[in-house]
Amino acid sequence: MRIQPADMIDRLPTQFFATLVAKVNKVIAQGHDVINLGQGNPDLPTPPHIIEELQAQAAQPLHHKYPPFQGRVELKQAVAHWYKQEFDVDLDPEEEVAILFGSKTGLVEICQVLMNAGDVALVPDPGYPDYWSGVAVVNGRMVMMPLKAENDFLPDYSQLSQADLDRAKLMFLNYPNNPTAVNAPLEFYEETIRFARKHEIVVCHDFAYGAISYDGKKPVSFMQVPGAKEVGVEFYTLSKTYNMAGWRVGAMVGNRELVRLINLIQDHYFVSLFGAVQMAAAKAMTDSQQCVRDLVAVYESRRNALYSNLHGIGWQAPPSQGSFFAWLPVPSGFTSVEFSDLLLEKAHVVVAPGNGFGPTGEGYVRAALLSNEERLAEAVQRIERLGLFTKTNKSEAIWPHYHTNGVWLFSSRIKIILIIDR
């Protein structure tokens, strides 16, 4: 019998990271020591107190039955507690919080509950490739919003055509941003809310890296901004904050009607998450957040080490403001794929080519801060041996250590880095 797949299967984009993994595995199979900075898979374990809670809850017979279809009230309350504690945002646990099988699932589902064939989704370019998947599933059309360095990697809404705006149903945003590693200011979200109201476009803010920001600066939650609940939702995940990527726990918060719609479609897909996982997730969000502060300090130390070494070999780039990525310009004469292939084949260092995140990502590669400082330094040393960069002198290569009472000022055009004490 011949199996004929649905048209939707043919519309799905090529899984960018699956292709990258295949290349990496080939080099590893040849016996090489590969330093993998190409994927966003946290390298540190889930904190012990969360694991202990899972172990205790898994023994409870209550959780051996089907959980409530729309999630346990304890986890919804924990999400609301976390938003209040971290961002002073008030959420109704029952009507403004939806529990997700990881935020990635919700990013696909939001397209299914809002878009019809031919409707437009405004998508950041570069951006997380799985935004494309949800649009493809519903046979929608993507309109890319270029994120350029000269605009601080924020979209310029004035460049969107009226024809596209007339068909746009939703817009994806993501700050701290993957892959560009920048944060967005409050004023940008205020502009976004005015724009969304005017054109009746639902804002879907992906806040996956909302706990990871540097130099003493806290990211802005979209939900903090007056009017946000009227026009959209925010997606959050425990994957990055608590090193729980394999646990598949996320939430969507905000607009009540959108929460109702997501819950409705999930009623047809799932019977919610294993109850013990939900209770452990609630423990993570309501217990001490010292483990999160410790994790961010680790990433900040790694960031400082990476950029110090990069600048030392002459590879200049502004340091990451948030997330656990670095967004690095490709040397002249290479495409992003050519450069990343060269690093893999000759230096056995994995980075993700920027064009895998969208056409505007061409000219960059993304590196992850998911190896220890020694391995990050070794990766840079291997790259230096390729002779692609002109080594700077020491005065140009200085990268100051973490400074809790200061502000980094940097420029990609002039090689000067200053600390200003407050």
Side-chain angles (χ1 to χ4, degrees):
M1 184 178 73
R2 178 171 171 266
I3 304 298
Q4 182 64 41
D7 292 343
M8 181 269 290
I9 295 297
D10 291 332
R11 293 197 303 267
L12 291 175
T14 301
Q15 243 297 343
F16 168 60
F17 290 108
T19 304
L20 180 63
V21 167
K23 286 184 178 181
V24 173
N25 287 342
K26 183 178 178 180
V27 175
I28 292 174
Q30 294 169 353
H32 298 293
D33 173 31
V34 172
I35 301 176
N36 193 342
L37 309 181
Q39 291 178 271
N41 199 358
D43 65 309
L44 297 173
T46 305
H49 68 284
I50 303 173
I51 297 172
E52 290 164 6
E53 184 70 11
L54 173 66
Q55 292 168 333
Q57 292 290 338
Q60 299 299 318
L62 170 67
H63 300 311
H64 304 167
K65 302 177 180 181
Y66 291 124
F69 266 64
Q70 296 179 2
R72 296 199 61 84
V73 65
E74 293 92 342
L75 181 52
K76 294 180 181 180
Q77 291 172 342
V79 172
H81 167 86
W82 186 86
Y83 264 91
K84 182 65 175 177
Q85 175 179 277
E86 296 296 321
F87 299 102
D88 197 26
V89 170
D90 291 307
L91 294 170
D92 179 335
E94 281 303 317
E95 296 193 6
E96 295 179 335
V97 178
I99 303 304
L100 306 173
F101 274 76
S103 59
K104 175 178 175 176
T105 302
L107 294 168
V108 174
E109 291 170 344
I110 197 68
C111 296
Q112 293 176 297
V113 302
L114 286 178
M115 297 181 69
N116 296 311
D119 286 341
V120 164
L122 305 177
V123 179
D125 170 24
Y128 180 47
D130 283 327
Y131 302 145
W132 312 347
S133 303
V135 180
V137 165
V138 298
N139 200 17
R141 184 167 67 88
M142 290 195 301
V143 170
M144 298 296 207
M145 300 186 295
L147 308 184
K148 298 181 178 180
E150 56 265 32
N151 199 40
D152 300 321
F153 296 108
L154 301 172
D156 182 352
Y157 299 137
S158 69
Q159 298 302 304
L160 297 167
S161 75
Q162 188 60 50
D164 288 335
L165 292 174
D166 288 342
R167 293 201 64 84
K169 281 289 191 71
L170 61 83
M171 169 173 59
F172 288 109
L173 296 173
N174 163 226
Y175 296 95
N177 185 258
N178 170 22
T180 68
V182 301
N183 293 337
L186 182 71
E187 295 76 18
F188 167 73
Y189 294 114
E190 292 172 338
E191 176 193 0
T192 297
I193 290 170
R194 292 191 295 269
F195 170 79
R197 277 202 193 107
K198 178 179 179 180
H199 299 286
E200 296 190 326
I201 296 171
V202 170
V203 178
C204 303
H205 184 234
D206 178 2
F207 203 40
Y209 301 92
I212 304 173
S213 188
Y214 306 124
D215 309 322
K217 295 180 180 179
K218 195 175 186 69
V220 177
S221 164
F222 179 57
M223 289 293 110
Q224 286 179 259
V225 188
K229 290 182 186 179
E230 176 190 340
V231 301
V233 287
E234 185 162 82
F235 294 84
Y236 190 70
T237 173
L238 279 68
S239 295
K240 278 64 175 178
T241 307
Y242 305 100
N243 293 326
M244 293 171 64
W247 296 52
R248 311 313 305 137
V249 188
M252 186 188 84
V253 304
N255 185 275
R256 292 175 182 237
E257 177 61 9
L258 294 172
V259 167
R260 184 188 74 81
L261 291 172
I262 286 284
N263 280 332
L264 177 60
I265 197 170
Q266 291 197 140
D267 282 350
H268 293 270
Y269 284 154
F270 315 118
V271 188
S272 196
L273 299 163
F274 178 37
V277 169
Q278 293 191 57
M279 297 301 290
K283 175 78 169 179
M285 300 189 85
T286 56
D287 208 349
S288 168
Q289 299 300 291
Q290 185 59 46
C291 62
V292 180
R293 292 188 286 271
D294 292 344
L295 179 65
V296 174
V298 168
Y299 288 146
E300 183 150 21
S301 180
R302 291 177 178 182
R303 178 203 68 163
N304 294 349
L306 175 65
Y307 279 91
S308 175
N309 283 282
L310 291 175
H311 292 171
I313 69 169
W315 194 351
Q316 299 295 329
S320 308
Q321 299 171 15
S323 80
F324 49 46
F325 297 114
W327 190 235
L328 306 170
V330 170
S332 61
F334 293 92
T335 67
S336 58
V337 170
E338 289 170 346
F339 182 62
S340 61
D341 284 349
L342 177 68
L343 295 192
L344 176 59
E345 293 164 9
K346 301 299 183 182
H348 306 139
V349 173
V350 183
V351 295
N355 67 345
F357 302 92
T360 307
E362 182 55 65
Y364 291 87
V365 292
R366 191 195 73 177
L369 305 173
L370 300 176
S371 293
N372 62 40
E373 293 176 25
E374 291 74 19
R375 290 289 274 177
L376 291 171
E378 182 182 348
V380 177
Q381 290 167 6
R382 294 183 186 183
I383 294 169
E384 181 182 18
R385 289 196 285 269
L386 299 178
L388 301 172
F389 299 95
T390 302
K391 191 169 184 178
T392 61
N393 63 45
K394 289 185 178 180
S395 64
E396 291 176 320
I398 291 174
W399 175 251
H401 289 86
Y402 175 62
H403 195 270
T404 56
N405 297 316
V407 177
W408 306 113
L409 294 181
F410 54 82
S411 170
S412 58
R413 301 186 184 212
I414 53 174
K415 301 172 184 175
I416 298 175
I417 300 171
L418 303 173
I419 300 176
I420 299 178
D421 280 323
R422 290 184 179 178

